[in-house]
Amino acid sequence: MDSGPVFGDDEYTRRQSVLLSQLSTDSILLIPTNPMKIRSNDVYYPYRPSSDILYLSGWEEPCSLFCALYDDDRWVTSLFVRERDELAERWEGKRVGTINAQAHWPVDKAFPWSTRIEQLEQEIKQRKTIFLQQGLDDELDACVARILGYKDRKRSVTGIGPDSISDPSNLLAEMRMRKSDPEVEIMKKAANVAVQAHIRAMKQTLGDTSEQMIQAEIEHEFTRNLAEPSYGSIVAGGDNATILHYHKNDEEITEGSLVLIDAGCEVDGYASDITRTWPVNGKFSKAQREIYELVLAAQTQAILECKVGNHWLDPHKAAMSTISMGLIELGILNCTYEEAMGKNLDGMSRKYFMHGTSHSLGLDVHDVGVTRPDGVGDGRILESGMILTVEPGLYFPSWVDVKEVNDTYTGIGVRIEDDVLITDAGPVVLTDKAPKSVEDLERIIGTGV
Ligand SMILES: [Mn+2]
């Protein structure tokens, strides 16, 4: 841990200079990490640092701040971190400390976090623009508010001092959308661990089971690979699969039901996100297969659209188109193709496929970055290095009114999700080792590990 962050110095200093080159030299950049959150009394939730401090410095401990200011004709970077503390470390675990931080992390200097306000107050007062992510560090927010609210005669006469706070998040988000080669390598690892987890769940299941048993198989594989869930695993049997963000995972799954597993993991801060749906008894019924094959066809068409130069919404359009035709063919929708699609992809098909097809993936599972500027049009152009999910689905809940649907399909929920890297040579499916054809699934389910 005290040997340094995930990537080499050059990766971080490249990111820092791309960001800092966009700031005027009379500004200061302040990126606090996430605060710790109480779970119960004196017990905290497992700690997760902010993705932006990870991105800029690889720093993982709580109570820290990344800072950059222009001094002597160059940007000077620093980390404010917790000091070594023998007693605290005996209770809570080892700390890197300022000396190691300065020696092994990609910054010029490191200081104790407890001194950040006294050290930075004067510096902030000398700058024009404060680039700060607010809402993470209350004391720092209060310090900045104090300075900006400061009616000092010197400030008004000389004009020296900050006049605005600016949020650097959108600049960082734009950078984070395109993954570098070292980032792609780690995201491949996260994808592979999640693939192994889904394969384990398939192999370990045959016949009656429960959502919690399957969740245990999935997370067993995460834990043994030093990965953790990148979001609450969704293991939804039968009708529960029609709840998009189902997370209770506490019901029995009976023979003859499908299980929908939406579970991915985080490796070194980077997320994977996979969904597979399959019959717990190893054999799709006719109705299950019809819906499954339709979602799979939609996903296949959508992945083909994941190419450089296409628009962000092109994969979604392809998925909607395939699903609309399929729903009409199956007699589930009794309308024209145009009515199923709708003028703005908001037609009749949305009753059963009500979510988007893609989101960006990276340090956050729903990663940052503007994909559809101003919320209109087909979205931005796909570029090499972007990673997005492709995850169409169809849902026929028994517990809400779905009159048009033949009883045959009631209680079926299917989603299929893969992680796709955009490259000049076409889409690369990072999660393609997780079985998804009907034949591959029926072959692997229940074979044991
Ligand atoms: Mn997803």
Side-chain angles (χ1 to χ4, degrees), residues 155-403:
R155 184 169 177 246
S156 59
V157 169
T158 63
I160 296 171
D163 48 29
S164 60
I165 304 180
S166 189
D167 186 349
S169 302
N170 52 353
L171 300 175
L172 282 157
E174 183 59 26
M175 294 169 60
R176 283 172 49 190
M177 281 206 81
R178 297 172 203 84
K179 276 69 183 175
S180 67
D181 292 345
E183 283 182 299
V184 169
E185 284 314 303
I186 291 190
M187 289 194 64
K188 282 181 179 169
K189 279 190 206 166
N192 286 337
V193 172
V195 164
Q196 290 312 317
H198 280 263
I199 289 175
R200 183 184 177 91
M202 291 164 188
K203 287 181 170 178
Q204 290 290 64
T205 303
L206 193 62
D208 289 345
T209 179
S210 67
E211 294 168 350
Q212 64 270 22
M213 287 300 288
I214 293 180
Q215 179 181 5
E217 297 297 345
I218 291 276
E219 292 178 13
H220 168 105
E221 200 65 25
F222 292 170
T223 305
R224 67 191 290 269
N225 283 289
L226 293 175
E228 55 193 314
S230 48
Y231 53 95
S233 302
I234 296 169
V235 182
D239 212 18
N240 290 337
T242 64
I243 302 168
L244 298 182
H245 289 167
Y246 178 77
H247 57 269
K248 290 182 74 173
N249 303 352
D250 63 354
E251 290 188 25
E252 302 300 309
I253 309 177
T254 50
E255 170 98 23
S257 295
L258 293 176
V259 61
L260 180 155
I261 306 171
D262 184 342
C265 64
E266 185 176 305
V267 171
D268 289 333
Y270 287 84
S272 55
D273 186 0
I274 302 181
T275 307
R276 289 291 183 266
T277 310
W278 38 271
V280 291
N281 64 6
K283 184 81 188 144
F284 284 89
S285 72
K286 182 168 177 287
Q288 289 168 347
R289 184 173 177 146
E290 283 169 348
I291 299 303
Y292 187 85
E293 298 270 31
L294 176 52
V295 175
L296 186 58
Q299 202 225 16
T300 306
Q301 292 306 313
I303 290 173
L304 290 174
E305 296 298 318
C306 294
K307 51 188 184 194
V308 173
N310 267 7
H311 289 271
W312 188 268
L313 275 189
D314 285 336
H316 181 55
K317 278 185 180 172
M320 266 289 279
S321 177
T322 304
I323 277 177
S324 294
M325 287 188 279
L327 290 177
I328 293 168
E329 250 169 59
L330 290 172
I332 294 170
L333 283 184
N334 183 21
C335 64
T336 65
Y337 171 78
E338 287 70 27
E339 287 165 341
M341 289 292 282
K343 278 204 173 64
N344 301 302
L345 301 173
D346 55 357
M348 301 284 281
S349 299
R350 297 302 281 165
K351 186 160 189 178
Y352 309 110
F353 171 32
M354 66 289 285
H355 55 74
T357 295
S358 301
H359 57 81
S360 196
L361 184 73
L363 283 164
D364 292 302
V365 64
H366 295 158
D367 210 25
V368 291
V370 172
T371 53
R372 203 171 174 224
D374 303 319
V376 293
D378 289 347
R380 65 190 291 164
I381 301 290
L382 295 174
E383 296 171 45
S384 172
M386 289 180 174
I387 296 181
L388 65 158
T389 65
V390 178
E391 48 176 316
L394 279 172
Y395 313 89
F396 304 97
S398 64
W399 44 279
V400 293
D401 181 26
V402 279
K403 283 205 186 68

